[in-house]
Amino acid sequence: DLGSGAAVLGPAVIEEHTTTVLLGPGDRLAVDAAGNFMVEVAEVTSVSAAEPVPVREAASSEKLDPVILALMQNRLDQISKHMGWVMTRTARSPIFSQSHDFSCYVTTPDGTLVANADGIPIHTGGGGFAVRALLRDFDGRINPEDVYILSDPYVAGGNHLPDWVIARPIFIGEPAQLAGFCCNRAHQSDIGGGLAGTYNPEATEIWHEGIRLPVLKLVDRGEVRDDLWKLLLINSRTSEMLDGDLR
């Protein structure tokens, strides 16, 4: 408890019943006679506001602000959750809207998982493999408004064929720089194969399970590749449902 006359030197987090106060490094909080928090914000001397710290340098710094780190982590987690909410509300397949057999996650530009919503651990835990396969196959050819799709566990970082990954690169700044990927891995209702559905107990090789997807560019600079879209739909017994879910 902080009473009258108390002082706290940042970095620190002060929690109350109705609010939380964040103190950055060097900030000073003092409690006056009425119990009010008086915060003196420290001057920025180490880094000029006009000279931002490069992303890679900031990420590798041992003096990373724990408050900023917590805020960024929660923000990324919230983005992942919103992706999942949109998926649930707009999906045609009950596999998504009711069974919730999908997961959303965010990675760094090199494919390291940094945030994920509630979902299935194998979806997100192996999500980095999918993004790194994308980077391997499309290095130097990743553009703003591109969207990629993949599923194959042997050549594309997938876990099994019915789980399709949709990955969208995120660019920031001018000129545009790759900041990461927002991804969704979801179990499709049907992908062809020897039996309807997505599980074939009589399969003896991977080709019996359905269509295999290497890393493919589904949307090129904002333009949907109609030829690839049609290829995906004609390899599913539930093409109308798949069409709606992909959109």
Side-chain angles (χ1 to χ4, degrees):
D1 294 338
L2 298 177
S4 176
V8 177
L9 183 65
V13 178
I14 296 95
E15 293 185 350
E16 298 184 280
H17 291 297
T18 57
T19 189
T20 300
V21 178
L22 305 177
L23 296 180
D27 294 347
R28 186 177 184 276
L29 178 144
V31 184
D32 65 12
N36 298 314
F37 287 173
M38 310 300 291
V39 178
E40 181 180 346
V41 179
E43 294 184 3
V44 179
T45 57
S46 58
V47 179
S48 169
E51 299 176 355
V53 178
V55 174
R56 293 187 180 276
E57 180 180 336
S60 61
S61 172
E62 295 180 358
K63 297 182 180 180
L64 189 62
D65 187 341
V67 174
I68 299 299
L69 178 62
L71 290 172
M72 289 300 299
Q73 183 63 66
N74 280 279
R75 177 58 176 155
L76 291 171
D77 288 345
Q78 193 68 11
I79 290 172
S80 299
K81 290 179 181 178
H82 273 273
M83 292 166 61
W85 294 338
V86 171
M87 180 82 170
T88 301
R89 296 179 63 181
T90 60
R92 292 188 182 180
S93 172
I95 294 177
F96 306 145
S97 59
Q98 298 180 30
S99 300
H100 204 285
D101 193 353
F102 70 89
S103 301
C104 302
Y105 59 95
V106 180
T107 76
T108 61
D110 63 359
T112 301
L113 180 70
V114 293
N116 61 272
D118 56 324
I120 299 176
I122 193 173
H123 285 176
T124 54
F129 293 110
V131 175
R132 288 191 286 275
L134 189 163
L135 292 168
R136 177 200 66 210
D137 291 353
F138 283 88
D139 183 32
R141 297 181 291 150
I142 300 174
N143 307 301
E145 298 189 66
D146 283 352
V147 179
Y148 299 84
I149 188 170
L150 60 93
S151 72
D152 193 88
Y154 294 102
V155 301
N159 50 349
H160 74 148
L161 294 184
D163 284 348
W164 288 9
V165 174
I166 298 291
R168 180 164 187 167
I170 306 302
F171 287 85
I172 59 173
E174 290 292 342
Q177 292 184 337
L178 182 63
F181 292 86
C182 283
C183 307
N184 174 285
R185 173 171 267 157
H187 190 113
Q188 307 305 313
S189 54
D190 188 273
I191 59 167
L195 292 175
T198 53
Y199 291 105
N200 182 1
E202 299 179 357
T204 59
E205 54 186 7
I206 193 170
W207 292 276
H208 293 166
E209 298 179 16
I211 187 171
R212 299 175 63 183
L213 302 181
V215 183
L216 301 167
K217 185 177 289 191
L218 184 60
V219 179
D220 189 358
R221 300 176 189 260
E223 294 292 330
V224 176
R225 290 187 54 195
D226 294 331
D227 55 347
L228 177 55
W229 196 281
K230 292 176 182 178
L231 175 66
L232 298 175
L233 296 186
I234 65 172
N235 277 278
S236 173
R237 297 176 177 87
T238 56
S239 58
E240 293 185 0
M241 188 180 299
L242 179 62
D243 181 62
D245 288 337
L246 285 178
R247 293 182 189 277

